[in-house]
């Protein structure tokens, strides 16, 4: 084994997930996947980075470490330095199952400019809206004030880039200014 490539088992051990989870990152999406998704998540990251992965189709697939790290940074498992994020380390230590949403915006692979992806939780926090509201509008693409997501990440989550995210923030600030001033509560006569 060379240190520059990783097997699916190596990847699973490094991020503390099952090999089956990593196998899903390697496999092509099934029939019910989005129409825009034609290749596996790991291969899509490799293509975005301009890296060939000839061993991806082998009986025992291997990916360059740089592709694995970029994938983990894109979905929020690793920080900019390639270390597991503290929230994930805590989930691993407590053996918490289930899907996990990134606490901080993640890195878009292949941009070279460290462009960030903002998820529904980040948008909701800044706009004061419920995360479910943002997710609903992302799924329905309703209303001009709620821009459609800029993309769907490798784990099928909608995300927005900073420019789109700022439109949300502007909208929330505008709505706050348009709220009528609170009426003072009627005062009761003082009793001495």
């Amino acid at each position: 084994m060379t240190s520059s490539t990783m097997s699916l088992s190596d990847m699973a051990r490094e991020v503390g997930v099952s090999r089956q989870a990593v196998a899903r990152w390697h496999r092509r999406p099934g029939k019910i996947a989005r129409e825009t998704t034609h290749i596996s998540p790991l291969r899509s990251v490799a293509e975005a980075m301009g890296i060939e992965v000839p061993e991806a189709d082998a009986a025992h697939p291997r990916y360059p470490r740089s592709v694995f790290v970029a994938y983990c940074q894109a979905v929020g498992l690793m920080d900019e330095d390639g270390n597991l994020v503290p929230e994930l380390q805590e989930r691993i230590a407590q053996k918490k199952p289930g899907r996990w949403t990134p606490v901080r915006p993640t890195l878009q692979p292949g941009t070279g400019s460290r462009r960030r992806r903002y998820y529904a939780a980040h948008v909701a926090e800044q706009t004061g809206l419920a995360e479910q509201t943002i997710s609903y509008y992302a799924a329905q693409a309703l209303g001009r004030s709620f821009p459609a997501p800029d993309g769907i990440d490798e784990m099928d989550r909608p995300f927005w880039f900073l420019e789109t995210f700022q439109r949300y923030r502007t909208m929330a600030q505008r709505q706050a200014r348009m709220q009528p001033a609170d009426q003072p509560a009627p005062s009761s006569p003082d009793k001495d």
Side-chain angles (χ1 to χ4, degrees):
M1 171 179 111
T2 63
S3 60
S4 63
T5 63
M6 299 179 75
S7 69
L8 301 183
S9 296
D10 295 336
M11 293 178 207
R13 272 192 299 277
E14 185 147 342
V15 292
V17 299
S18 68
R19 190 183 183 290
Q20 289 81 11
V22 177
R24 283 193 298 273
W25 303 348
H26 162 67
R27 274 187 253 130
R28 284 196 171 98
K31 292 180 183 177
I32 59 172
R34 292 185 180 346
E35 291 178 14
T36 57
T37 308
H38 300 293
I39 58 174
S40 74
L42 284 169
R43 192 177 292 270
S44 69
V45 169
E47 281 187 10
M49 296 173 70
I51 296 176
E52 299 241 355
V53 284
E55 293 180 84
D57 297 323
H60 300 286
R62 302 187 72 77
Y63 288 86
R65 181 170 181 73
S66 60
V67 170
F68 168 69
V69 170
Y71 172 81
C72 289
Q73 289 172 332
V75 298
L77 301 174
M78 290 184 175
D79 61 16
E80 288 184 18
D81 300 325
N83 301 315
L84 288 181
V85 294
E87 298 81 14
L88 182 61
Q89 292 175 7
E90 182 180 319
R91 285 185 68 84
I92 292 169
Q94 295 176 1
K95 299 187 184 209
K96 289 184 179 177
R99 293 187 74 160
W100 173 77
T101 303
V103 175
R104 286 171 289 285
T106 67
L107 295 174
Q108 170 76 1
T111 59
S113 63
R114 300 292 205 183
R115 195 165 195 207
R116 300 207 177 272
R117 297 171 169 179
Y118 290 80
Y119 293 93
H122 310 134
V123 176
E125 181 182 325
Q126 293 296 315
T127 59
L129 298 170
E131 185 176 343
Q132 292 82 2
T133 302
I134 300 296
S135 296
Y136 172 76
Y137 281 116
Q140 302 299 319
L142 298 174
R144 279 180 273 181
S145 59
F146 285 86
D150 291 316
I152 303 293
D153 81 355
E154 293 78 9
M155 287 184 152
D156 251 7
R157 300 175 297 201
F159 67 85
W160 296 264
F161 290 124
L162 183 61
E163 303 82 9
T164 310
F165 174 68
Q166 286 173 335
R167 280 192 273 160
Y168 273 113
R169 199 176 354 213
T170 302
M171 177 203 62
Q173 292 167 347
R174 226 180 274 140
Q175 285 180 345
R177 284 194 305 266
M178 295 171 76
Q179 296 275 334
D182 289 340
Q183 298 293 330
S187 59
S188 58
D190 290 342
K191 294 183 181 176
D192 292 5

